[in-house]
Amino acid sequence: MAKTNRGGSKRRYDDELKREAVQMLMDGHSAASVAANLGLSGPNLVYRWKAAYIEASGPAATELDERVRELEEQLRRVERERDILKKVVPSKAWGRGIPLLCG
């Protein structure tokens, strides 16, 4: 796991721990929770490992990571829109599938 240098100021982590941290992050865990669960110094370390992992994987991985970010942003936007509609539309009509006419 974590090893301390002779100077005691900088820790080194083995590749297995780094892969596990990146995998947890990619599985949807927050960087803060990954860092806390694995005893890391902070979430920025996990983000750096993920960036290095993706860069080492080549251009296809970089493009996929960018696409995932775009889709996550789109999902957040659609969820916000849905939440707004839930507040506007009466809950009984929404749950029964009653069509509502707009405009």
Side-chain angles (χ1 to χ4, degrees), residues 84-86 88-90 93-94 98-103:
I84 291 169
L85 287 174
K86 279 185 175 181
V88 173
V89 176
W94 185 267
I98 299 172
L100 300 173
L101 302 174
C102 297

Side-chain angles (χ1 to χ4, degrees), residues 16-88:
E16 184 179 339
L17 179 72
K18 291 177 183 182
R19 280 192 299 273
E20 182 180 350
V22 170
Q23 187 60 51
M24 289 173 69
L25 187 63
M26 295 173 94
D27 286 344
H29 298 278
S30 71
S33 70
V34 171
N37 288 337
L38 297 177
L40 304 175
S41 61
N44 288 337
L45 188 59
V46 179
Y47 287 126
R48 281 199 313 259
W49 291 345
K50 179 185 175 196
Y53 177 78
I54 289 173
E55 185 178 315
S57 297
T62 304
E63 290 175 23
L64 285 174
D65 186 55
E66 180 60 33
R67 181 65 178 145
V68 167
R69 277 190 238 149
E70 290 171 5
L71 290 172
E72 287 172 341
E73 177 56 36
Q74 183 180 2
L75 175 61
R76 284 190 292 275
R77 187 181 68 248
V78 169
E79 287 174 339
R80 285 191 304 267
E81 292 171 357
R82 179 207 56 204
D83 292 343
I84 291 169
L85 287 174
K86 279 185 175 181
K87 291 177 184 177
V88 173

